[in-house]
Amino acid sequence: MSEKTRKKNKVKISDALEQVVNPPETKNSDTHAVGVDIGTSKIVIATKEDGKEDYTSQLNAFISVDYSKFTENILKQNNISHHKRDNSLLVYGNGAAILANMLNSETRRPMRHGLLNPKEPNAIDIIKGIIDDLVPNSNNKGTQLSFSIPGAQTDNETDIIYHEAILKRHLDTKGYNSAGINEGLAVVFAELEQENFTGIGISAGGGMCNVCLAYLSVPLISFSINKGGDFIDEAVASVTGEVSTRVREIKENNLNLLQKPNNEIEDALHIYYDNLIISLVKAMKENITGKSKAPRVDAPIPIVLSGGTVKPKGFKDRFEKFLKEEEFPMEISNIKIADDPLNATAKGALIAAMYEN
Amino acid sequence: MKTEASNYAYSAPWKLPAKDYRRFIEDLAAMIPDPVKKLKFLNQVMGSYQKMPFYSKLCPPVAEAAARKIIIEKAKQYCPECLADNHEFIQKYGAEPRLSHVWSSLRQYNIFKSSGLLLFIWCIGLLVTSFAAILHSDYSSDMKTAYTEKGVFHSIIYPSGIPQGKTEGTGIANHSDHQNNPEQLHAYATEKTPDHNKIVTLPEPIAGMYFAYVHDMPHGRYQRFNVYSAYIPDDGVQLPAEFIAGESTGNKESVNEPATIQANVKDKKPEKQNNNIASQSLPASDTVQKKEIIPQKHFPIFIKNPIWLVEKTKEREIYSNRLQIITTHTVKNIPREYYEFFRNYSGLPMEDKTSSQIRGLLFHASESDILDFKPEMNQSIVKFSRLLIKYLCKKKSYHYFIDRFGRVYRLIYDDQAAFHAGNSIWADDDLIYLNLNHSFIGICFEGRDFVKTTPSNKEKTSDKRLPKIKPMGNSSITEVQLRSGKELTDWLRYKYRIAQYNCAPHCLASVNPKHLLIGYHLDLSRGFPFEEFGLSNKYKEPLPAITEFGFKHDNYFLKIFNGNPWAAVKISEEFLQNQAIDNNLKFHTHRKNLNKKFTRLFEWKKSHQKNKS
């Protein structure tokens, strides 16, 4: 970067930072249980106080800017989470997205496909930084904390062990007694209490889709597929020439899968959404028909969809359509979107943590 | 390779409990309001089940007793407060004292470690099962059915038939200690429970086998004895008069629906009744006369054969039993939410504890204007139906509507209430339902079975309160409507596990709460084809409004039916008399007490509904 550009950027950065919402205050709470959803695109923490669940989230992303004393001061003054590494500043959390927009560049992800990103050298530090911002140190030794981890794929089980161990070690140092919970199971815990925790929980997040079939709270089948919101963003960006951030913005704000697409980007979004849903349904069918331990259920079971990827209007209808076309091997009573799709996993993790308590 | 998460709180691979246990676990879990406690309960139960030694599972009865005990213990541990009110429910499910004692004592002394004893128990189990299978081919499945119906059925088996001149029969005893021992059983029946057991002298010796099951009604107000199956090979033998609603079958293979048997009251003179209930003027019902043996069809308590959604479009749903539901007219209404009045619990329900579970089906007739069912009237019939549907949707009256061509329309979503039976009472073994809008699904047949009457001047002068309606000769409900109704009923019963005794026509549930009278609405009050619907004949079974709350009927009601209403009315009145005798009360005092009970519950419900709204 030339000196001229850097100066220009400095101005922009300072402007941008004023807009950045201060990161949420770390709560020094005495809650006895904490649920954390460590997703590819967001980290959400759930606590329960006075009988009400409370959610706080940070973007699980970062952006690297050149180091200067001026920029660092601005970041500190605005309480922006950052980390100094060599000659650059790694800005992470919610501030990263706004900076990326201002600088017309892409945020980077410390996680990829639900796991620590092996291609990102700063991944662990960034994740730890975001977790430190969100999760307070525990005053009570042994406070239970459950954090979400993705379901296994055929080729990544060893990666999950590493991912889980790193997170657990860090959370334990904060005074918690932490344990991982499958993301799909967390969705079942959060949304299917009325059904006695029986049904299929699907968490369609940024990096992947996690599925768990639970029967009376017992996780019988859990798996994940390597497609999520990021896959759609990247694929659409690739075929349309737009940046992923812009595609994501359109996807999150304007997309309606029930209506005809209005432009090329929406058209591509429709195509890749369908592709994701078909992959998900096929994987569900294969996993359920392929497992001998799939229960012979007495009654139809429900499916709950959660996560940011299910938010566009019409997702449920498309999912239902493809599920029917695929001749799903189990009878489904109803398909519903979670009451709070973005926080369902964290809520389920919280219930699991309370259970462990 | 397993991750820690996939092993969350459990150790795979999992073996799920048998279907019946799972249902039991589900029912108990549903009572626990707190999600964390529910999760703990489920985890503990499922975990404990995994830890049960494999050899205990070799003998099914022992495994069953052990599993039930574990489940009950965990339920008590994690939600004692919410189970306190359901003591009877727990007892029903958990009461297998002898088996559970065997299990606990064996476990206590660690006898299971002895492989010899294990082998012995296993052999005994096999022997018992084989013996039962020889006696009755459906023995095991019958017991299973009995269990899933939430009833405790005790079996009494007569391996060598009923001896000549012996007095045996109805409902003999609810005591399984005397199983397989007719003499002890007979002694027990005559000595211990003379009031509740009808002793019948059979005219001829019955060679062969005889099965009887006694079903305890938990509230203790009256006991209803059920013959579960009877095999009488000699065609000439008649069953005694006390077999009121059910007749024995000559088919050894079939299993009958429990038939109601009336307790003997001849040896007890009822208190002289000075009240003027209209039932005193009822004609003698055929139910108290001797009946010939008529083969009775098997009415499944629950629909077991799966029915599934075959196809769903925006306009209709098609099911595997041919049922088609048109969904284009469906409208939204308020969600289901009702208080549960436990039948065995005289107190008021918990204020914060409501249910939304679908418990039954109520059949209605629209009682709307009906055109002749002829090809030339086609357009008009269609138009009438369309207008009626529009009206019903506006009023949110029923969940389902079946037009005259048998087309089924969903008018209100199943998980929402419809205003089809506000002033109605029904009851099953566990619960009493006041206002069935929220707890039952309303199915309306387009048709009518009453016509308006215009009394002549002479009649008007002779009796001012002449009925304004009279039953039609033939119901206007068509055959295709009934066929669709049956398909819809089967599907709903399968989907929501609705017991057959909770499927009734509106007329039997409808009441006038102000004057404590039954029969406020009278749709489908005659000729409902229960048997074709796979249901027992509710016209001949006790009416909860009478047996639970002492409701009466007036002369106006009798006049509509020309003095001959349903046999259920008389049976219910007789139940009331028995209850009064059992409680050493005068009949009218007993009825007053029941009326008071209703008023108390009704007022409470009304006030709480208002508070909620």
Side-chain angles (χ1 to χ4, degrees):
Chain A
M1 197 184 287
S2 69
E3 188 62 28
K4 203 175 172 183
T5 320
R6 189 177 292 164
K7 276 182 184 172
K8 212 176 178 182
N9 275 350
K10 272 180 192 170
V11 178
K12 281 184 178 174
I13 291 167
S14 59
D15 288 346
L17 292 177
E18 283 171 9
Q19 297 174 33
V20 171
V21 180
N22 286 342
E25 286 179 18
T26 308
K27 289 171 188 168
N28 193 13
S29 86
D30 289 332
T31 49
H32 297 294
V34 180
V36 186
D37 170 17
I38 302 179
T40 308
S41 59
K42 264 190 175 180
I43 297 181
V44 185
I45 171 176
T47 52
K48 195 165 192 175
E49 279 168 22
D50 303 329
K52 281 189 173 177
E53 284 114 12
D54 188 30
Y55 303 100
T56 320
S57 67
Q58 281 271 31
L59 203 66
N60 194 3
F62 70 100
I63 187 165
S64 174
V65 291
D66 289 343
Y67 174 80
S68 76
K69 198 71 190 166
F70 172 75
T71 310
E72 191 180 25
N73 281 339
I74 296 257
L75 291 170
K76 278 181 184 168
Q77 281 165 20
N78 287 283
N79 228 359
I80 304 292
S81 307
H82 63 281
H83 188 79
K84 184 172 177 292
R85 166 74 52 118
D86 300 329
N87 285 326
S88 56
L89 286 166
L90 305 176
V91 180
Y92 54 85
N94 293 340
I98 295 172
L99 269 181
N101 256 344
M102 295 301 295
L103 301 175
N104 198 24
S105 67
E106 299 278 350
T107 52
R108 285 150 62 186
R109 289 274 168 83
M111 280 171 64
R112 183 178 163 78
H113 299 320
L115 301 170
L116 287 167
N117 189 348
K119 291 178 183 169
E120 192 55 75
N122 303 314
I124 296 174
D125 289 338
I126 297 291
I127 290 266
K128 283 181 179 174
I130 297 174
I131 288 176
D132 288 343
D133 274 356
L134 285 170
V135 183
N137 288 331
S138 171
N139 294 339
N140 306 322
K141 197 75 182 167
T143 299
Q144 199 66 38
L145 182 145
S146 284
F147 60 96
S148 66
I149 57 168
Q153 294 170 33
T154 46
D155 57 345
N156 76 346
E157 288 190 0
T158 48
D159 299 347
I160 292 176
I161 293 169
Y162 175 74
H163 172 83
E164 186 182 354
I166 290 284
L167 293 174
K168 180 176 166 51
R169 196 190 298 159
H170 181 63
L171 289 164
D172 285 350
T173 58
K174 294 174 77 67
Y176 291 97
N177 185 14
S178 63
I181 175 173
N182 178 280
E183 209 171 311
L185 183 63
V187 174
V188 172
F189 284 179
E191 295 293 325
L192 295 177
E193 190 254 325
Q194 288 292 322
E195 288 80 5
N196 291 332
F197 306 111
T198 298
I200 296 176
I202 298 175
S203 170
M208 63 202 315
C209 292
N210 280 282
V211 183
C212 178
L213 163 63
Y215 194 85
L216 293 177
S217 84
V218 176
L220 295 173
I221 294 167
S222 59
F223 64 92
S224 59
I225 62 164
N226 243 343
K227 286 180 180 174
D230 289 351
F231 156 77
I232 295 173
D233 300 342
E234 284 165 17
V236 173
S238 157
V239 295
T240 57
E242 266 290 354
V243 289
S244 299
T245 318
R246 168 82 183 130
V247 172
R248 192 175 302 129
E249 199 182 307
I250 293 170
K251 184 182 80 177
E252 287 172 359
N253 298 329
N254 303 327
L255 187 63
N256 186 341
L257 295 171
L258 292 175
Q259 288 176 356
K260 280 189 175 176
N262 295 320
N263 51 47
E264 192 191 358
I265 294 176
E266 283 190 16
D267 195 22
L269 280 168
H270 276 244
I271 289 167
Y272 285 107
Y273 250 106
D274 281 357
N275 179 273
L276 180 140
I277 294 170
I278 290 168
S279 306
L280 177 61
V281 170
K282 277 190 173 162
M284 284 167 67
K285 188 182 174 185
E286 280 166 16
N287 274 276
I288 287 171
T289 48
K291 298 265 169 101
S292 59
K293 60 184 175 180
R296 287 177 191 171
V297 288
D298 317 328
I301 58 166
I303 293 180
V304 187
L305 301 164
S306 76
T309 305
V310 309
K311 283 195 80 182
K313 280 179 191 168
F315 184 93
K316 192 186 96 171
D317 302 79
R318 305 293 295 169
F319 180 83
E320 204 169 348
K321 176 180 171 279
F322 288 120
L323 196 72
K324 203 182 291 170
E325 285 176 4
E326 198 58 46
E327 293 179 353
F328 196 62
M330 301 180 91
E331 198 180 345
I332 302 302
S333 60
N334 67 317
I335 299 169
K336 67 171 186 177
I337 301 279
D339 294 339
D340 188 355
L342 297 180
N343 297 329
T345 307
K347 183 184 175 186
L350 174 66
I351 291 172
M354 288 161 77
Y355 158 76
E356 294 289 354
N357 253 350
Chain B
M1 194 180 290
K2 294 283 170 196
T3 64
E4 195 168 323
S6 64
N7 287 338
Y8 172 73
Y10 316 102
S11 60
W14 278 89
K15 282 183 181 173
L16 293 177
K19 193 175 165 185
D20 287 344
Y21 306 146
R22 298 207 299 254
R23 191 173 288 174
F24 180 27
I25 294 167
E26 280 175 18
D27 286 348
L28 274 173
M31 291 182 186
I32 303 173
D34 182 54
V36 177
K37 281 183 178 174
K38 184 185 279 192
L39 188 58
K40 281 182 180 175
F41 165 69
L42 288 171
N43 268 271
Q44 293 285 323
V45 167
M46 301 295 271
S48 301
Y49 185 79
Q50 304 303 307
K51 289 173 194 165
M52 269 175 67
F54 77 95
Y55 44 78
S56 70
K57 294 174 188 170
L58 293 175
C59 185
V62 175
E64 184 179 327
R68 283 187 198 172
K69 192 161 185 264
I70 288 169
I71 294 164
I72 293 291
E73 274 175 7
K74 295 299 174 191
K76 282 179 179 168
Q77 184 183 344
Y78 287 109
C79 192
E81 70 278 6
C82 59
L83 295 181
D85 291 341
N86 299 292
H87 183 67
E88 196 65 41
F89 172 81
I90 293 170
Q91 271 199 333
K92 270 176 159 187
Y93 271 126
E96 279 290 339
R98 289 191 310 126
L99 286 174
S100 57
H101 287 169
V102 168
W103 161 249
S104 60
S105 60
L106 287 176
R107 195 175 57 175
Q108 189 179 354
Y109 295 108
N110 217 6
I111 294 176
F112 268 130
K113 284 182 181 172
S114 158
S115 56
L117 184 63
L118 163 69
L119 195 60
F120 174 73
I121 293 168
W122 186 44
C123 291
I124 294 288
L126 276 179
L127 277 173
V128 170
T129 316
S130 314
F131 179 65
I134 291 164
L135 282 178
H136 192 283
S137 58
D138 283 342
Y139 174 76
S140 57
S141 62
D142 292 346
M143 290 302 287
K144 207 163 135 190
T145 309
Y147 167 69
T148 54
E149 289 157 24
K150 303 182 183 178
V152 182
F153 288 80
H154 303 269
S155 59
I156 304 157
I157 301 167
Y158 296 84
S160 57
I162 302 171
Q164 183 173 13
K166 274 280 183 185
T167 55
E168 298 291 353
T170 59
I172 294 172
N174 57 350
H175 202 282
S176 53
D177 285 347
H178 304 289
Q179 189 170 318
N180 298 336
N181 191 334
E183 286 177 14
Q184 278 187 29
L185 181 64
H186 176 64
Y188 180 83
T190 48
E191 287 170 22
K192 302 285 182 186
T193 57
D195 294 343
H196 298 292
N197 293 281
K198 175 60 192 167
I199 306 302
V200 179
T201 303
L202 295 171
E204 296 287 338
I206 298 175
M209 292 171 287
Y210 190 87
F211 295 85
Y213 290 83
V214 180
H215 184 192
D216 289 345
M217 297 304 289
H219 47 81
R221 293 190 194 98
Y222 64 83
Q223 286 194 303
R224 189 175 68 188
F225 297 116
N226 297 321
V227 169
Y228 200 62
S229 176
Y231 170 52
I232 302 166
D234 298 330
D235 290 339
V237 178
Q238 288 188 342
L239 274 185
E242 287 67 23
F243 285 72
I244 288 175
E247 298 82 17
S248 289
T249 173
N251 181 6
K252 183 182 174 181
E253 296 299 320
S254 70
V255 180
N256 281 351
E257 171 69 10
T260 310
I261 297 171
Q262 183 193 357
N264 182 18
V265 292
K266 282 178 191 169
D267 53 341
K268 288 195 166 192
K269 288 179 183 173
E271 298 289 337
K272 194 176 178 184
Q273 295 160 24
N274 54 2
N275 54 8
N276 58 348
I277 58 165
S279 64
Q280 286 174 329
S281 61
L282 285 173
S285 167
D286 55 355
T287 54
V288 294
Q289 293 169 1
K290 287 191 176 182
K291 277 188 161 185
E292 288 186 2
I293 300 169
I294 303 163
Q296 187 181 356
K297 284 193 178 176
H298 168 59
F299 299 128
I301 302 299
F302 295 104
I303 297 285
K304 286 177 184 170
N305 293 332
I307 297 167
W308 63 92
L309 180 68
V310 175
E311 195 181 315
K312 186 178 178 183
T313 62
K314 280 183 181 175
E315 291 82 28
R316 66 185 64 225
E317 293 170 3
I318 300 172
Y319 292 87
S320 60
N321 68 339
R322 213 192 70 99
L323 168 69
Q324 285 196 33
I325 300 175
I326 298 166
T327 54
T328 46
H329 297 73
T330 315
V331 294
K332 285 184 178 174
N333 198 9
I334 54 173
R336 288 179 185 273
E337 191 182 21
Y338 61 93
Y339 291 105
E340 291 183 331
F341 295 92
F342 285 89
R343 196 166 181 172
N344 55 334
Y345 177 64
S346 54
L348 296 166
M350 287 166 71
E351 290 185 17
D352 56 346
K353 196 177 174 187
T354 55
S355 175
S356 59
Q357 195 180 333
I358 295 166
R359 301 282 190 165
L361 306 178
L362 207 63
F363 303 103
H364 302 256
S366 62
E367 295 297 330
S368 51
D369 290 337
I370 296 297
L371 300 172
D372 288 345
F373 200 61
K374 292 174 184 171
E376 54 269 29
M377 301 299 289
N378 195 38
Q379 291 297 324
S380 304
I381 294 172
V382 170
K383 192 179 173 187
F384 261 57
S385 299
R386 202 182 303 139
L387 290 172
L388 183 60
I389 289 171
K390 203 173 172 186
Y391 175 79
L392 295 177
C393 284
K394 194 179 167 189
K395 293 284 179 186
K396 298 175 179 175
S397 305
Y398 306 105
H399 292 94
Y400 292 93
F401 174 78
I402 301 172
D403 75 4
R404 301 192 72 199
F405 300 110
R407 291 178 294 189
V408 181
Y409 295 83
R410 180 181 289 134
L411 305 186
I412 303 282
Y413 292 103
D414 288 357
D415 59 348
Q416 293 164 0
F419 307 121
H420 62 102
N423 288 328
S424 296
I425 294 172
W426 198 253
D428 53 30
D429 284 355
D430 299 323
L431 298 174
I432 297 171
Y433 308 99
L434 307 178
N435 181 345
L436 308 185
N437 288 345
H438 289 256
S439 49
F440 277 50
I441 284 178
I443 299 171
C444 177
F445 294 94
E446 184 180 6
R448 63 185 308 153
D449 38 18
F450 281 90
V451 284
K452 286 179 184 171
T453 55
T454 44
S456 62
N457 289 338
K458 194 180 172 184
E459 284 172 334
K460 275 179 188 171
T461 49
S462 62
D463 192 339
K464 286 178 182 174
R465 283 208 69 205
L466 275 175
K468 292 172 184 166
I469 54 170
K470 67 174 182 183
M472 285 166 70
N474 294 315
S475 171
S476 62
I477 295 169
T478 63
E479 196 183 327
V480 283
Q481 278 181 288
L482 293 174
R483 205 184 304 152
S484 300
K486 159 84 168 107
E487 289 160 4
L488 178 63
T489 303
D490 283 351
W491 173 64
L492 290 170
R493 285 187 60 199
Y494 174 73
K495 187 177 181 190
Y496 299 110
R497 277 171 53 210
I498 294 170
Q500 73 88 12
Y501 46 79
N502 273 358
C503 303
H506 184 210
C507 60
L508 299 178
S510 177
V511 295
N512 179 340
K514 194 177 172 187
H515 298 108
L516 303 173
L517 294 172
I518 61 164
Y520 186 65
H521 289 284
L522 290 170
D523 42 335
L524 300 178
S525 56
R526 275 179 191 271
F528 187 82
F530 287 104
E531 198 169 317
E532 282 76 9
F533 273 60
L535 307 170
S536 61
N537 190 341
K538 303 292 184 302
Y539 295 141
K540 293 182 177 178
E541 291 183 5
L543 296 181
I546 301 177
T547 57
E548 294 299 319
F549 297 124
F551 274 56
K552 295 179 191 174
H553 53 273
D554 55 8
N555 285 326
Y556 188 81
F557 173 85
L558 279 182
K559 279 176 196 168
I560 290 172
F561 291 103
N562 287 327
N564 188 21
W566 320 295
V569 177
K570 186 168 173 58
I571 293 169
S572 307
E573 292 288 349
E574 284 168 353
F575 268 124
L576 269 193
Q577 287 179 3
N578 293 344
Q579 285 175 2
I581 292 164
D582 290 346
N583 295 330
N584 287 325
L585 291 171
K586 286 185 178 178
F587 182 69
H588 72 276
T589 314
H590 179 56
R591 173 166 275 187
K592 265 190 176 176
N593 290 344
L594 294 179
N595 289 165
K596 273 181 194 169
K597 179 187 163 192
F598 170 76
T599 312
R600 190 165 64 97
L601 295 183
F602 188 70
E603 291 300 327
W604 183 90
K605 188 180 74 68
K606 246 170 70 177
S607 66
H608 280 73
Q609 270 178 347
K610 272 182 191 170
N611 290 344
K612 277 205 156 189
S613 63

